[in-house]
Amino acid sequence: MSALRKSTEPSVEEREWRTLVEHKLVLVVVHTLTYGKRLVDVLSLLEADFRVQVVFTAPPHVFGDEVPSFLKGLGGAVLPWDEAVRMTFDLALAAGPRGVEKISAPLITLPHGAGYLKRLVSVRHTGVAGLRRQDLAPGGRLPAAVAVPHHAELADLERHCPEALPLAHVVGDPAHDRIAASLPLRARYRRALGLSNGEKLVVVASTWGARSSFGRFETLLPRLVAELPAARFRSVVLVHPNVWSGHGSWQVRAWLARCAERGIALVPPEADWRGVLIAADWIIGDHGSVTLYGTLTDAPILLASSPEREINPASPAAALAVTAPALSPTHPLVGQLQYAAAEYRREEYAAIASRLTSEPGRFNRNMRRLMYRLLGLGQPAHEPETAALPEPPPLDTWARGRRGVPA
């Protein structure tokens, strides 16, 4: 792979293995599975352009265990990290800061979730994750561009890292746009999941960390089995990929095996969760991005965990924390779902959803313009499409997880 491009132009002999040689080289830096899934949405903007070659690399990361299999599944050309840092590229994309100061390329950084939701309080460098100086300028080096979803982030950026403000571009949110474009397909996603008429789907979502709702699964998931009538309700669990990576896939499945045997579906970390979210009748979540994206749907939300000290008070997650009802450990679960539905006010949740992006439906247009400007190329002469999300597999597929062999 070293024949792609080194610090000097490759020789004729080094070029011989490639069919197309006169192109721009884009490096996609995939630290974790979460980062990789976000960047895949961006890469669709470079499809079908024979002027551009995309390659991938995976820096060392504590939550990077699933990245090699993820990249293998994509079928992309993968550079070892120690080789990537010795090469030059025409553009680099990253959704996390670790090690990116070593990359020789104009770098665009993006948030990997719904904006900047989490406040770090138990580490040496406190602040809002993604907005701290070490996040935006690791090693003291600023990127070429900081892509943010909403104009409100500019004030946060000026407060936390003012030197990055001139580099900020408000481009929008790709997950928001894909979900919004796919909402009309809700009935199709429900059929694909195997839900019958009248069946209600409860989606349980957890971010990662000590104060996430995953820490309450030991008591919450048995309640789904015991209290929700099987003839009327189906349940599915969305666990942040960092939980899978941090504890190991085998261990997560082992912890949740009994619930899976009782029909609760467990979405694997590499799967696309967004179609499942659209299909939900209720969402039980926490202060993570998945729960916040749930405000785009018509599903009432209950919060199993919402730690104030870990939520960025300027973020829409803070607004959700005082809008959605809190799950009670003592009251009957069916009654709480009914209460949440009765108290649900679409306009309140739509107001929260509007804080996810100030460029709704325009991420592809804005992001493609930014990338091609830094590449020094003219954009393709067509509007970039926001594709609908793929249909999810049947819930029964995900309910067959075994502790010995991943489903």
Side-chain angles (χ1 to χ4, degrees):
M1 202 61 68
S2 59
L4 282 169
R5 185 174 300 160
K6 297 184 179 179
S7 56
T8 58
E9 281 298 307
S11 67
V12 173
E13 292 77 11
E14 288 176 321
R15 289 176 179 267
E16 285 182 351
W17 68 272
R18 289 179 289 156
T19 301
L20 298 181
V21 295
E22 297 300 331
H23 55 237
K24 300 287 187 174
L25 194 57
V26 177
L27 180 69
V28 182
V29 185
V30 183
H31 297 81
T32 72
L33 186 54
T34 301
Y35 297 177
K37 291 168 75 173
R38 171 54 58 100
L39 292 169
V40 165
D41 275 342
V42 178
L43 293 181
S44 65
L45 303 174
L46 300 174
E47 289 179 355
D49 192 335
F50 280 70
R51 300 172 298 170
V52 178
Q53 161 84 52
V54 174
V55 295
F56 301 83
T57 192
H61 197 284
V62 66
F63 295 130
D65 292 351
E66 285 84 14
V67 170
S69 60
F70 173 75
L71 294 179
K72 183 178 180 181
L74 288 180
V78 180
L79 294 169
W81 175 245
D82 60 355
E83 187 172 341
V85 298
R86 297 196 304 268
M87 297 172 60
T88 59
F89 304 90
D90 298 292
L91 181 67
L93 304 171
R98 190 162 303 181
V100 296
E101 72 275 10
K102 301 176 182 178
I103 296 295
S104 297
L107 173 69
I108 302 176
T109 64
L110 305 94
H112 59 266
Y116 306 96
L117 308 182
K118 294 184 180 180
R119 183 167 51 180
L120 303 175
V121 295
S122 59
V123 295
R124 184 176 63 177
H125 301 288
T126 59
V128 177
L131 292 177
R132 299 173 303 166
R133 181 169 278 102
Q134 63 265 40
D135 297 329
L136 294 164
R141 180 183 171 190
L142 288 165
V146 178
V148 299
H150 200 287
H151 284 94
E153 262 86 41
L154 298 180
D156 286 338
L157 197 60
E158 185 173 22
R159 182 166 57 254
H160 292 281
C161 188
E163 60 266 43
L165 185 61
L167 308 173
H169 298 260
V170 181
V171 298
D173 184 312
H176 171 284
D177 290 358
R178 297 280 312 269
I179 292 172
S182 304
L183 289 173
L185 302 179
R186 181 174 187 267
R188 183 184 301 178
Y189 297 147
R190 289 176 63 84
R191 287 193 298 271
L193 289 167
L195 297 169
S196 61
N197 291 335
E199 272 191 316
K200 301 298 184 181
L201 180 64
V202 178
V203 172
V204 181
S206 176
T207 187
W208 66 283
R211 293 176 176 83
S212 69
S213 61
F214 189 80
R216 303 188 179 190
F217 275 16
E218 187 176 8
T219 55
L220 173 58
L221 297 190
R223 294 186 67 189
L224 298 177
V225 174
E227 298 185 37
L228 300 185
R232 293 168 44 206
F233 290 89
R234 298 291 303 274
S235 300
V236 60
V237 174
L238 303 174
V239 178
H240 195 287
N242 285 2
V243 178
W244 292 84
S245 183
H247 294 284
S249 177
W250 181 92
Q251 183 63 75
V252 172
R253 293 184 185 279
W255 279 331
L256 305 182
R258 294 292 176 262
C259 293
E261 290 169 2
R262 300 290 296 272
I264 295 179
L266 177 60
V267 178
E270 70 277 4
D272 196 323
W273 47 267
R274 294 171 292 187
V276 177
L277 198 70
I278 291 171
D281 293 289
W282 285 276
I283 299 166
I284 300 175
D286 55 18
H287 56 302
S289 292
V290 172
T291 307
L292 194 58
Y293 283 125
T295 61
L296 291 166
T297 75
D298 290 330
I301 297 172
L302 294 92
L303 294 177
S305 175
S306 185
E308 180 181 2
R309 66 195 301 260
E310 287 194 0
I311 297 175
N312 175 10
S315 74
L320 182 62
V322 298
T323 301
L327 190 70
S328 167
T330 56
H331 287 76
L333 190 53
V334 172
Q336 293 188 66
L337 296 178
Q338 292 171 342
Y339 174 84
E343 294 296 312
Y344 179 80
R345 301 291 182 269
R346 180 64 204 140
E347 63 274 12
E348 295 179 347
Y349 289 86
I352 297 171
S354 70
R355 295 176 61 182
L356 292 171
T357 173
S358 54
E359 293 287 308
R362 295 186 289 272
F363 174 85
N364 282 355
R365 184 197 67 181
N366 295 336
M367 189 65 187
R368 192 178 74 172
R369 180 188 301 119
L370 176 60
M371 288 194 296
Y372 274 85
R373 181 171 67 79
L374 291 177
L375 283 169
L377 294 174
Q379 295 184 63
H382 61 83
E383 282 292 325
E385 177 187 1
T386 300
L389 295 165
E391 293 182 6
L395 287 173
D396 289 343
T397 302
W398 289 331
R400 296 176 190 147
R402 293 172 290 164
R403 284 171 288 176
V405 181

Coordinates of all heavy atoms in Angstrom, one line a residue, residues 2-80:
S2 N 2.1 1.1 0.3 CA 3.0 2.3 0.3 C 3.1 2.9 -1.1 O 3.6 4.0 -1.2 CB 4.4 1.9 0.9 OG 4.9 0.9 0.0
A3 N 2.7 2.2 -2.1 CA 2.8 2.8 -3.5 C 1.7 3.9 -3.7 O 1.8 4.6 -4.7 CB 2.6 1.7 -4.5
L4 N 0.8 4.1 -2.8 CA -0.2 5.2 -3.0 C 0.4 6.5 -3.1 O 0.3 7.2 -4.1 CB -1.3 5.1 -1.9 CG -2.3 4.0 -2.0 CD1 -3.1 3.8 -0.8 CD2 -3.2 4.2 -3.2
R5 N 1.0 7.0 -2.0 CA 1.7 8.3 -2.1 C 2.6 8.5 -0.8 O 2.1 8.4 0.3 CB 0.7 9.4 -2.2 CG 1.4 10.8 -2.4 CD 0.4 11.9 -2.6 NE -0.4 11.6 -3.8 CZ -1.5 12.1 -4.1 NH1 -2.1 13.0 -3.2 NH2 -2.2 11.8 -5.2
K6 N 3.8 8.7 -1.0 CA 4.7 9.0 0.1 C 5.0 10.5 0.2 O 4.3 11.3 -0.5 CB 6.0 8.2 -0.1 CG 5.8 6.7 -0.1 CD 7.1 6.0 -0.1 CE 6.9 4.5 -0.1 NZ 8.1 3.7 -0.2
S7 N 5.9 10.9 1.0 CA 6.2 12.3 1.1 C 6.8 12.9 -0.2 O 6.7 14.1 -0.3 CB 7.2 12.5 2.3 OG 8.4 11.8 2.0
T8 N 7.3 12.1 -1.1 CA 7.6 12.6 -2.4 C 6.8 11.8 -3.4 O 6.2 10.8 -3.1 CB 9.1 12.3 -2.7 OG1 9.4 10.9 -2.5 CG2 10.0 13.0 -1.7
E9 N 6.8 12.3 -4.7 CA 6.0 11.6 -5.7 C 6.5 10.2 -5.9 O 7.7 10.0 -6.0 CB 6.0 12.4 -7.0 CG 5.1 13.6 -7.0 CD 3.7 13.2 -6.9 OE1 3.2 12.4 -7.6 OE2 3.0 13.8 -6.0
P10 N 5.5 9.2 -6.0 CA 6.0 7.8 -6.3 C 6.6 7.7 -7.6 O 6.3 8.4 -8.6 CB 4.7 7.1 -6.2 CG 3.6 8.0 -6.5 CD 4.1 9.4 -6.0
S11 N 7.5 6.7 -7.7 CA 8.2 6.5 -9.0 C 7.3 5.8 -10.0 O 6.2 5.3 -9.6 CB 9.4 5.6 -8.7 OG 9.0 4.3 -8.3
V12 N 7.7 5.7 -11.2 CA 6.9 5.0 -12.2 C 6.7 3.6 -11.8 O 5.6 3.0 -11.9 CB 7.7 5.1 -13.6 CG1 6.9 4.2 -14.6 CG2 7.8 6.5 -14.1
E13 N 7.7 2.9 -11.2 CA 7.6 1.5 -10.8 C 6.5 1.4 -9.7 O 5.7 0.4 -9.7 CB 8.9 1.0 -10.3 CG 10.0 0.8 -11.4 CD 10.6 2.1 -11.8 OE1 10.4 3.2 -11.1 OE2 11.3 2.2 -12.9
E14 N 6.5 2.4 -8.8 CA 5.5 2.3 -7.7 C 4.1 2.5 -8.2 O 3.2 2.0 -7.6 CB 5.9 3.4 -6.7 CG 7.1 3.1 -5.8 CD 7.4 4.2 -4.9 OE1 7.3 5.4 -5.3 OE2 7.9 3.9 -3.8
R15 N 3.9 3.2 -9.3 CA 2.6 3.5 -9.8 C 2.1 2.3 -10.6 O 0.9 2.2 -10.9 CB 2.6 4.7 -10.8 CG 2.9 6.0 -10.1 CD 3.0 7.1 -11.2 NE 3.1 8.4 -10.6 CZ 2.2 9.3 -10.3 NH1 0.9 8.9 -10.6 NH2 2.4 10.4 -9.8
E16 N 2.9 1.3 -11.0 CA 2.5 0.3 -12.0 C 1.3 -0.5 -11.6 O 0.5 -1.0 -12.4 CB 3.7 -0.5 -12.4 CG 4.6 0.2 -13.3 CD 5.8 -0.7 -13.7 OE1 5.9 -1.8 -13.2 OE2 6.6 -0.3 -14.6
W17 N 1.2 -0.8 -10.2 CA 0.1 -1.7 -9.8 C -1.3 -1.1 -9.9 O -2.3 -1.8 -9.8 CB 0.4 -2.2 -8.4 CG 0.3 -1.1 -7.3 CD1 1.2 -0.2 -6.9 CD2 -0.9 -0.7 -6.6 NE1 0.8 0.6 -6.0 CE2 -0.5 0.3 -5.7 CE3 -2.2 -1.3 -6.5 CZ2 -1.4 0.9 -4.8 CZ3 -3.1 -0.7 -5.6 CH2 -2.7 0.4 -4.8
R18 N -1.3 0.3 -10.0 CA -2.6 0.9 -10.0 C -3.1 1.1 -11.4 O -2.3 1.4 -12.3 CB -2.6 2.2 -9.3 CG -2.4 2.1 -7.8 CD -2.3 3.5 -7.1 NE -1.1 4.1 -7.4 CZ -0.9 5.4 -7.4 NH1 -1.9 6.2 -7.1 NH2 0.3 6.0 -7.6
T19 N -4.4 1.1 -11.6 CA -5.0 1.4 -12.9 C -5.2 2.9 -13.1 O -5.0 3.4 -14.2 CB -6.3 0.6 -13.1 OG1 -6.1 -0.8 -13.0 CG2 -7.0 0.9 -14.5
L20 N -5.8 3.6 -12.1 CA -5.9 5.0 -12.1 C -4.9 5.7 -11.2 O -4.8 5.4 -10.1 CB -7.3 5.4 -11.6 CG -8.5 4.8 -12.4 CD1 -9.8 5.3 -11.8 CD2 -8.4 5.3 -13.9
V21 N -4.1 6.6 -11.8 CA -3.0 7.2 -11.0 C -3.2 8.7 -10.8 O -2.6 9.2 -9.9 CB -1.7 6.9 -11.7 CG1 -1.4 5.4 -11.7 CG2 -1.6 7.4 -13.1
E22 N -3.9 9.3 -11.7 CA -4.1 10.8 -11.6 C -5.3 11.1 -10.8 O -6.4 11.4 -11.4 CB -4.1 11.4 -13.0 CG -2.8 11.3 -13.7 CD -1.6 11.9 -13.0 OE1 -1.8 12.9 -12.3 OE2 -0.5 11.4 -13.2
H23 N -5.3 11.0 -9.5 CA -6.4 11.3 -8.7 C -6.0 11.9 -7.3 O -4.9 11.8 -7.0 CB -7.2 10.0 -8.4 CG -6.4 8.9 -7.8 ND1 -6.3 7.6 -8.4 CD2 -5.7 8.8 -6.7 CE1 -5.5 6.9 -7.7 NE2 -5.1 7.6 -6.6
K24 N -7.0 12.4 -6.6 CA -6.8 12.9 -5.3 C -6.9 11.8 -4.3 O -7.8 10.9 -4.5 CB -7.8 14.0 -5.0 CG -7.7 15.2 -5.9 CD -6.5 16.1 -5.7 CE -6.6 17.4 -6.5 NZ -5.5 18.3 -6.2
L25 N -6.1 11.8 -3.3 CA -6.1 10.8 -2.3 C -6.7 11.2 -1.0 O -6.2 12.2 -0.4 CB -4.7 10.3 -2.1 CG -4.4 9.0 -1.3 CD1 -5.2 7.8 -2.0 CD2 -3.0 8.7 -1.2
V26 N -7.8 10.6 -0.5 CA -8.5 10.9 0.7 C -8.3 9.8 1.7 O -8.5 8.7 1.5 CB -10.0 11.1 0.4 CG1 -10.8 11.4 1.7 CG2 -10.2 12.2 -0.6
L27 N -7.9 10.2 2.9 CA -7.7 9.3 4.0 C -8.8 9.4 5.0 O -9.1 10.5 5.5 CB -6.3 9.6 4.7 CG -6.0 8.7 5.9 CD1 -5.7 7.3 5.5 CD2 -4.9 9.3 6.7
V28 N -9.4 8.3 5.4 CA -10.5 8.3 6.3 C -9.9 7.6 7.6 O -9.5 6.5 7.6 CB -11.7 7.5 5.8 CG1 -12.8 7.5 6.8 CG2 -12.2 8.0 4.5
V29 N -9.9 8.4 8.7 CA -9.3 8.0 9.9 C -10.4 7.4 10.8 O -11.2 8.1 11.3 CB -8.6 9.1 10.6 CG1 -7.8 8.6 11.9 CG2 -7.6 9.8 9.7
V30 N -10.4 6.1 11.1 CA -11.4 5.4 11.8 C -10.9 4.9 13.1 O -10.2 3.8 13.2 CB -12.0 4.2 11.0 CG1 -13.1 3.5 11.7 CG2 -12.5 4.7 9.6
H31 N -11.1 5.6 14.2 CA -10.6 5.2 15.5 C -11.5 4.1 16.1 O -11.0 3.2 16.7 CB -10.7 6.4 16.5 CG -9.8 7.6 16.1 ND1 -10.2 8.5 15.2 CD2 -8.6 8.0 16.6 CE1 -9.2 9.4 15.1 NE2 -8.2 9.1 15.9
T32 N -12.8 4.3 16.0 CA -13.8 3.3 16.6 C -14.9 3.0 15.6 O -15.0 3.7 14.6 CB -14.4 3.9 17.9 OG1 -15.3 5.0 17.5 CG2 -13.3 4.5 18.8
L33 N -15.7 2.0 16.0 CA -16.8 1.7 15.1 C -17.8 2.8 15.0 O -18.4 3.1 14.0 CB -17.5 0.4 15.7 CG -18.6 -0.2 14.9 CD1 -18.2 -0.5 13.5 CD2 -19.1 -1.5 15.6
T34 N -18.0 3.5 16.1 CA -18.9 4.7 16.1 C -18.5 5.7 15.2 O -19.2 6.3 14.4 CB -19.1 5.3 17.5 OG1 -19.6 4.3 18.4 CG2 -20.0 6.4 17.5
Y35 N -17.2 6.0 15.2 CA -16.6 7.0 14.3 C -16.7 6.6 12.8 O -17.1 7.3 11.9 CB -15.1 7.3 14.6 CG -14.8 7.9 16.0 CD1 -13.5 8.1 16.3 CD2 -15.8 8.2 16.9 CE1 -13.2 8.6 17.6 CE2 -15.5 8.7 18.1 CZ -14.2 8.9 18.5 OH -13.9 9.4 19.7
G36 N -16.4 5.3 12.6 CA -16.5 4.8 11.3 C -17.9 4.8 10.7 O -18.0 5.2 9.5
K37 N -18.9 4.5 11.4 CA -20.3 4.5 10.9 C -20.7 5.9 10.6 O -21.4 6.2 9.6 CB -21.2 3.9 11.9 CG -21.0 2.4 12.1 CD -21.7 1.8 13.3 CE -23.2 1.7 13.1 NZ -23.8 1.0 14.2
R38 N -20.2 6.9 11.3 CA -20.5 8.3 11.0 C -19.8 8.7 9.7 O -20.4 9.4 8.8 CB -20.1 9.2 12.1 CG -20.2 10.8 11.8 CD -21.5 11.2 11.3 NE -22.6 10.9 12.2 CZ -23.2 11.8 13.0 NH1 -22.7 13.0 13.1 NH2 -24.2 11.5 13.8
L39 N -18.6 8.3 9.5 CA -17.8 8.7 8.3 C -18.3 8.1 7.1 O -18.2 8.6 6.0 CB -16.3 8.4 8.6 CG -15.6 9.3 9.6 CD1 -14.3 8.7 10.0 CD2 -15.6 10.7 9.2
V40 N -18.9 6.9 7.2 CA -19.4 6.2 6.0 C -20.5 7.0 5.3 O -20.6 7.1 4.1 CB -20.0 4.8 6.4 CG1 -20.9 4.2 5.2 CG2 -18.8 3.8 6.6
D41 N -21.3 7.7 6.1 CA -22.4 8.6 5.6 C -21.7 9.7 4.7 O -22.2 10.1 3.7 CB -23.2 9.2 6.7 CG -24.3 8.3 7.1 OD1 -24.7 7.4 6.4 OD2 -24.9 8.6 8.2
V42 N -20.6 10.2 5.2 CA -19.9 11.3 4.5 C -19.3 10.7 3.1 O -19.3 11.4 2.1 CB -18.8 11.9 5.3 CG1 -18.0 13.0 4.6 CG2 -19.4 12.4 6.6
L43 N -18.8 9.5 3.2 CA -18.1 9.0 2.0 C -19.0 8.8 0.8 O -18.5 8.7 -0.3 CB -17.4 7.6 2.4 CG -16.3 7.7 3.4 CD1 -15.7 6.3 3.6 CD2 -15.2 8.7 2.9
S44 N -20.3 8.7 1.0 CA -21.2 8.6 -0.1 C -21.1 9.8 -1.0 O -21.5 9.7 -2.2 CB -22.7 8.4 0.4 OG -23.1 9.6 1.1
L45 N -20.6 10.9 -0.5 CA -20.5 12.1 -1.3 C -19.3 12.1 -2.3 O -19.2 12.9 -3.1 CB -20.3 13.3 -0.4 CG -21.5 13.5 0.7 CD1 -21.1 14.7 1.6 CD2 -22.8 13.8 0.0
L46 N -18.5 11.1 -2.1 CA -17.3 10.9 -3.0 C -17.5 9.8 -4.0 O -16.7 9.5 -4.8 CB -16.1 10.7 -2.2 CG -15.7 11.8 -1.2 CD1 -14.5 11.3 -0.4 CD2 -15.4 13.1 -2.0
E47 N -18.7 9.1 -3.9 CA -18.9 7.9 -4.8 C -19.0 8.4 -6.3 O -19.4 9.5 -6.6 CB -20.2 7.3 -4.4 CG -20.2 6.5 -3.1 CD -21.5 5.9 -2.8 OE1 -22.5 6.1 -3.5 OE2 -21.6 5.2 -1.8
A48 N -18.6 7.5 -7.1 CA -18.7 7.6 -8.6 C -17.8 8.8 -9.1 O -18.0 9.2 -10.3 CB -20.2 7.9 -9.0
D49 N -16.9 9.2 -8.3 CA -16.0 10.3 -8.8 C -14.6 9.6 -9.1 O -13.9 9.3 -8.1 CB -15.8 11.4 -7.8 CG -15.1 12.6 -8.4 OD1 -14.3 12.4 -9.4 OD2 -15.4 13.7 -7.9
F50 N -14.3 9.4 -10.3 CA -13.0 8.7 -10.7 C -11.8 9.6 -10.4 O -10.7 9.1 -10.6 CB -13.1 8.3 -12.2 CG -13.9 7.0 -12.4 CD1 -15.2 7.0 -12.3 CD2 -13.2 5.8 -12.8 CE1 -16.0 5.9 -12.5 CE2 -14.0 4.7 -13.0 CZ -15.3 4.7 -12.9
R51 N -12.0 10.8 -10.0 CA -10.9 11.7 -9.7 C -10.4 11.5 -8.3 O -9.4 12.0 -7.9 CB -11.3 13.1 -9.9 CG -11.7 13.5 -11.3 CD -12.3 14.9 -11.3 NE -13.5 15.0 -10.5 CZ -14.1 16.2 -10.2 NH1 -13.6 17.3 -10.6 NH2 -15.1 16.2 -9.4
V52 N -11.1 10.7 -7.5 CA -10.8 10.6 -6.0 C -10.6 9.1 -5.7 O -11.4 8.2 -6.0 CB -12.0 11.1 -5.2 CG1 -11.8 11.0 -3.7 CG2 -12.2 12.6 -5.6
Q53 N -9.6 8.8 -4.9 CA -9.3 7.5 -4.3 C -9.4 7.6 -2.8 O -8.8 8.5 -2.2 CB -7.9 7.0 -4.7 CG -7.4 5.9 -3.8 CD -7.8 4.5 -4.2 OE1 -7.7 4.1 -5.3 NE2 -8.3 3.8 -3.2
V54 N -10.2 6.8 -2.2 CA -10.4 6.8 -0.7 C -9.7 5.6 -0.1 O -9.8 4.5 -0.6 CB -11.9 6.7 -0.4 CG1 -12.1 6.6 1.2 CG2 -12.7 7.9 -0.9
V55 N -8.9 5.9 0.9 CA -8.3 4.8 1.7 C -8.6 5.0 3.2 O -8.9 6.1 3.6 CB -6.7 4.8 1.4 CG1 -6.4 4.4 0.0 CG2 -6.1 6.1 1.8
F56 N -8.4 4.0 4.0 CA -8.7 4.0 5.4 C -7.5 3.7 6.2 O -6.6 3.0 5.8 CB -9.8 3.0 5.7 CG -11.1 3.2 4.9 CD1 -11.2 2.7 3.6 CD2 -12.2 3.8 5.5 CE1 -12.4 2.9 2.9 CE2 -13.3 4.0 4.8 CZ -13.4 3.5 3.5
T57 N -7.5 4.1 7.5 CA -6.6 3.7 8.5 C -7.2 3.7 9.8 O -8.2 4.4 10.0 CB -5.3 4.7 8.5 OG1 -4.3 4.1 9.2 CG2 -5.7 6.1 9.0
A58 N -6.6 3.0 10.7 CA -7.2 2.8 12.1 C -6.1 3.0 13.1 O -5.3 2.2 13.4 CB -7.8 1.4 12.2
P59 N -6.1 4.2 13.7 CA -5.2 4.5 14.8 C -5.5 3.6 16.0 O -6.6 3.2 16.2 CB -5.4 6.0 15.1 CG -6.2 6.5 14.0 CD -7.0 5.4 13.5
P60 N -4.5 3.4 16.9 CA -4.7 2.7 18.1 C -5.8 3.4 19.0 O -5.7 4.7 19.1 CB -3.4 2.7 18.8 CG -2.4 2.9 17.7 CD -3.1 3.8 16.7
H61 N -6.7 2.7 19.5 CA -7.8 3.3 20.3 C -8.3 2.3 21.3 O -8.5 1.1 20.9 CB -8.9 3.9 19.5 CG -9.8 4.8 20.2 ND1 -10.7 4.4 21.1 CD2 -9.9 6.2 20.1 CE1 -11.4 5.5 21.5 NE2 -10.9 6.6 21.0
V62 N -8.6 2.7 22.5 CA -9.1 1.7 23.5 C -10.4 1.1 23.1 O -10.7 0.0 23.5 CB -9.2 2.4 24.9 CG1 -10.3 3.5 24.8 CG2 -9.5 1.4 26.0
F63 N -11.2 1.7 22.2 CA -12.5 1.2 21.8 C -12.4 0.8 20.3 O -13.4 0.8 19.6 CB -13.6 2.2 22.0 CG -13.9 2.5 23.5 CD1 -14.0 3.8 23.9 CD2 -14.1 1.4 24.4 CE1 -14.2 4.1 25.2 CE2 -14.3 1.7 25.7 CZ -14.4 3.0 26.1
G64 N -11.2 0.4 19.8 CA -11.1 0.1 18.4 C -11.1 -1.3 18.0 O -10.8 -1.6 16.9
D65 N -11.5 -2.2 18.9 CA -11.5 -3.6 18.6 C -12.2 -4.1 17.4 O -11.8 -5.0 16.6 CB -12.0 -4.5 19.8 CG -11.1 -4.3 21.0 OD1 -10.0 -3.8 20.9 OD2 -11.4 -4.8 22.1
E66 N -13.4 -3.5 17.1 CA -14.2 -3.9 16.0 C -13.9 -3.2 14.7 O -14.4 -3.6 13.7 CB -15.7 -3.6 16.3 CG -16.4 -4.6 17.3 CD -16.1 -4.1 18.8 OE1 -15.6 -3.0 18.9 OE2 -16.3 -4.9 19.7
V67 N -12.9 -2.3 14.7 CA -12.6 -1.5 13.5 C -12.1 -2.4 12.4 O -12.5 -2.2 11.2 CB -11.7 -0.3 13.9 CG1 -11.2 0.3 12.6 CG2 -12.4 0.7 14.7
P68 N -11.1 -3.3 12.7 CA -10.6 -4.1 11.5 C -11.7 -4.9 10.8 O -11.7 -4.9 9.5 CB -9.6 -5.0 12.2 CG -9.1 -4.3 13.4 CD -10.3 -3.5 13.9
S69 N -12.6 -5.5 11.5 CA -13.6 -6.3 10.8 C -14.6 -5.3 10.1 O -15.1 -5.6 9.0 CB -14.4 -7.1 11.8 OG -15.0 -6.4 12.8
F70 N -14.8 -4.1 10.7 CA -15.7 -3.1 10.0 C -15.1 -2.7 8.7 O -15.8 -2.7 7.7 CB -15.9 -2.0 11.0 CG -16.6 -0.8 10.4 CD1 -18.0 -0.8 10.2 CD2 -15.9 0.4 10.0 CE1 -18.7 0.2 9.6 CE2 -16.6 1.5 9.5 CZ -18.0 1.4 9.3
L71 N -13.8 -2.4 8.7 CA -13.1 -1.9 7.5 C -13.1 -3.1 6.5 O -13.2 -2.8 5.3 CB -11.8 -1.4 7.8 CG -11.7 -0.1 8.6 CD1 -10.3 0.3 8.9 CD2 -12.5 1.0 8.0
K72 N -12.9 -4.3 6.9 CA -12.9 -5.4 6.0 C -14.2 -5.6 5.3 O -14.3 -5.9 4.1 CB -12.5 -6.7 6.8 CG -12.4 -7.9 5.9 CD -12.0 -9.2 6.7 CE -11.9 -10.4 5.8 NZ -11.5 -11.6 6.6
G73 N -15.3 -5.4 6.1 CA -16.6 -5.5 5.5 C -16.9 -4.4 4.5 O -17.6 -4.6 3.5
L74 N -16.3 -3.2 4.7 CA -16.4 -2.1 3.7 C -15.7 -2.5 2.4 O -16.1 -2.0 1.3 CB -15.9 -0.8 4.2 CG -16.7 -0.1 5.3 CD1 -15.9 1.2 5.7 CD2 -18.1 0.2 4.9
G75 N -14.7 -3.3 2.5 CA -13.9 -3.6 1.3 C -13.0 -2.5 0.8 O -12.5 -2.5 -0.3
G76 N -12.6 -1.6 1.7 CA -11.8 -0.5 1.3 C -10.3 -0.8 1.5 O -9.9 -1.8 2.1
A77 N -9.4 0.0 0.8 CA -8.0 -0.2 1.0 C -7.6 0.4 2.3 O -7.9 1.5 2.7 CB -7.3 0.6 -0.2
V78 N -6.9 -0.4 3.1 CA -6.6 -0.1 4.5 C -5.1 0.1 4.7 O -4.3 -0.9 4.3 CB -7.1 -1.1 5.5 CG1 -6.8 -0.7 6.9 CG2 -8.7 -1.3 5.4
L79 N -4.7 1.2 5.2 CA -3.3 1.5 5.4 C -3.0 1.2 6.9 O -3.7 1.7 7.8 CB -2.9 2.9 5.1 CG -3.0 3.4 3.7 CD1 -2.8 4.9 3.6 CD2 -1.9 2.7 2.8
P80 N -1.9 0.5 7.2 CA -1.5 0.5 8.7 C -1.2 1.9 9.2 O -0.7 2.8 8.4 CB -0.2 -0.3 8.6 CG -0.3 -1.1 7.3 CD -1.0 -0.3 6.4

